[in-house]
Amino acid sequence: MPMINFTNPITLLIVTLLFALILILAKETKKSIIAAIMLFVFVGLLIIHSIMYTTATTLEADVLSDITFTMIFDLIFVLLSFIAYLWIDDMEASVKKKKNIDNSLDWFWNKV
């Protein structure tokens, strides 16, 4: 089964650039749905790679190591996408004059 392999530096660079471009697009349009779609794509990749890892019985150790490394980067991208979604959602709420129940990023910015 083919997978998106983040052990390849070129693939990792391309995904990082796509992540940044989609984040810029979401920021400029102030649409949180763009960041949410990006979040769900990375969650989907994490699920697919987890299934590949758990169902792999005859794979070699280096392939399992690659899948583990890829899953780690999936988790990193999920975390960054989640923070980006909260940020863009807060910007969208302020532009559309929607009432925020809470500021979702206060917990993050107070620690930084």
Side-chain angles (χ1 to χ4, degrees):
M1 174 184 266
M3 71 171 196
I4 296 176
N5 190 356
F6 289 138
T7 57
N8 185 355
I10 302 293
T11 305
L12 188 59
L13 179 67
I14 290 171
V15 170
T16 305
L17 288 175
L18 283 173
F19 178 84
L21 289 174
I22 292 172
L23 183 62
I24 291 170
L25 175 70
K27 181 181 173 266
E28 292 300 318
T29 61
K30 293 179 180 45
K31 302 278 185 189
S32 62
I33 190 71
I34 297 172
I37 291 171
M38 184 171 55
L39 175 64
F40 286 124
V41 166
F42 284 119
V43 168
L45 282 174
L46 179 63
I47 290 170
I48 290 170
H49 291 144
S50 299
I51 290 171
M52 288 176 62
Y53 184 80
T54 57
T55 59
T57 56
T58 60
L59 293 179
E60 298 175 5
D62 59 340
V63 174
L64 289 176
S65 173
D66 288 349
I67 293 174
T68 305
F69 185 76
T70 300
M71 287 170 44
I72 290 170
F73 271 98
D74 286 339
L75 286 170
I76 290 169
F77 280 120
V78 165
L79 174 68
L80 292 175
S81 298
F82 180 68
I83 292 172
Y85 169 74
L86 292 177
W87 178 49
I88 301 297
D89 187 53
D90 187 47
M91 285 180 14
E92 182 181 11
S94 66
V95 165
K96 292 184 177 180
K97 306 277 192 262
K98 288 184 180 177
K99 182 181 177 193
N100 274 344
I101 296 173
D102 65 341
N103 190 357
S104 302
L105 287 178
D106 273 348
W107 61 270
F108 181 72
W109 296 121
N110 288 337
K111 304 289 182 187
V112 175

